[in-house]
Amino acid sequence: MRLQFFTFLFFFTLFHRQISASTTTTLVNVTVDDQFGDPHTHSQIIYTPAEAWSIAPNCSHCPDGISSLSPSRASNGTWHGSYFSSETASGAIRAGAPRYAELQFTGNAIYVICIIPPSTNITNRLNFSIDGTEVGSYPPAPAIATDLGGWQYGVVVYHNTSIPMASHQLLIQSGEEDGPDAIILLDSIVYST
Ligand SMILES: *[C@@H]1O[C@H](CO)[C@@H](O)[C@H](O)[C@H]1NC(C)=O
Ligand SMILES: *[C@@H]1O[C@H](CO)[C@@H](O)[C@H](O)[C@H]1NC(C)=O
Ligand SMILES: *[C@@H]1O[C@H](CO)[C@@H](O)[C@H](O)[C@H]1NC(C)=O
Ligand SMILES: *[C@@H]1O[C@H](CO)[C@@H](O)[C@H](O)[C@H]1NC(C)=O
Ligand SMILES: *[C@@H]1O[C@H](CO)[C@@H](O)[C@H](O)[C@H]1NC(C)=O
Ligand SMILES: *[C@@H]1O[C@H](CO)[C@@H](O)[C@H](O)[C@H]1NC(C)=O
């Protein structure tokens, strides 16, 4: 009788724990590579204007030293890059057209990971919007020319851990009409779901 009771208790506890486990939400981070996209939903990052973006290590008109970047230090060995200039004379592809990278994701946190040039003097002003509302920029404050001593890999240029759990659109902008030169090297986007 005692044994039966303990057997019952054991299975009851086990059952109860399984129920609790299945109702507790577990968050996981999903890495969306710039080139290979979302491994779960298979959606891709959309780049516009498409012809102004290139895949590592190519980067038309990017500053000297970009060829020294090591693909092995980037997520999946790739990044998407674009050099923006308002000046047609710069030779930049689609001069004056801001560069955009857009991702649809379902989650409640987001991290944008870029490779950053050795000097903040090479403007890398990025703007971030979620669902059409501007939510941040990089650098967060107006940049003072700082020598970082080399290219920086895996820099989280924007993160937001207080997004309502739902489907969202993230839009990254580099360069603005009549604005200064800008460079973006997007490595990956991580979201929690
Ligand atoms: C997702 O990654 C970020 C940045 O590395 C980390 O701070 C966070 O704890 C991770 N979240 C989960 C659910 O693993
Ligand atoms: C880089 O550019 C070269 C020359 O235009 C081209 O042959 C090559 O396919 C490009 N590589 C990538 C990864 O786009
Ligand atoms: C990208 O990298 C991740 C983590 O290292 C790996 O699991 C995945 O298979 C890679 N994807 C491709 C397409 O190489
Ligand atoms: C940064 O850019 C400004 C304006 O183009 C220039 O005058 C200055 O010499 C630059 N500084 C460095 C450290 O490159
Ligand atoms: C995070 O995203 C939410 C919802 O889109 C927004 O209201 C909030 O301002 C963002 N916070 C930061 C720190 O970017
Ligand atoms: C990007 O953000 C900065 C700082 O908030 C702002 O001055 C600039 O106008 C923004 N650019 C665009 C194109 O929204």
Side-chain angles (χ1 to χ4, degrees):
M1 192 63 198
R2 250 182 108 94
L3 187 68
Q4 275 176 353
F5 176 71
F6 280 114
T7 309
F8 165 77
L9 204 66
F10 176 76
F11 282 109
F12 178 79
T13 310
L14 199 70
F15 177 73
H16 193 76
R17 284 179 61 140
Q18 277 179 351
I19 293 285
S20 322
S22 63
T23 52
T24 308
T25 50
T26 310
L27 286 172
V28 291
N29 274 350
V30 176
T31 299
V32 181
D33 184 65
D34 66 285
Q35 188 172 358
F36 300 108
D38 189 323
H40 294 281
T41 65
H42 303 292
S43 70
Q44 299 286 333
I45 298 171
I46 298 161
Y47 299 95
T48 44
E51 67 274 28
W53 288 83
S54 46
I55 301 164
N58 290 358
C59 188
S60 166
H61 297 88
C62 274
D64 290 347
I66 196 143
S67 54
S68 67
L69 281 175
S70 170
S72 65
R73 295 187 61 189
S75 156
N76 285 121
T78 62
W79 61 82
H80 265 67
S82 190
Y83 186 75
F84 166 88
S85 177
S86 302
E87 309 293 332
T88 315
S90 68
I93 300 163
R94 293 290 302 274
R99 284 42 171 141
Y100 296 101
E102 180 195 334
L103 177 71
Q104 298 286 340
F105 69 97
T106 299
N108 67 352
I110 194 118
Y111 306 82
V112 178
I113 295 136
C114 284
I115 298 169
I116 299 299
S119 167
T120 52
N121 218 30
I122 306 165
T123 327
N124 48 17
R125 161 76 59 191
L126 304 170
N127 284 23
F128 306 92
S129 301
I130 296 176
D131 305 327
T133 304
E134 199 175 312
V135 287
S137 60
Y138 182 89
I144 305 153
T146 314
D147 188 358
L148 303 174
W151 293 81
Q152 307 293 310
Y153 298 84
V155 178
V156 178
V157 291
Y158 177 69
H159 76 279
N160 189 335
T161 52
S162 55
I163 308 171
M165 178 65 83
S167 172
H168 298 286
Q169 181 222 45
L170 171 77
L171 187 68
I172 306 167
Q173 177 179 353
S174 171
E176 60 183 302
E177 230 185 311
D178 301 323
D181 290 10
I183 181 178
I184 178 170
L185 303 177
L186 180 65
D187 190 5
S188 64
I189 299 171
V190 174
Y191 68 88
S192 306
T193 198

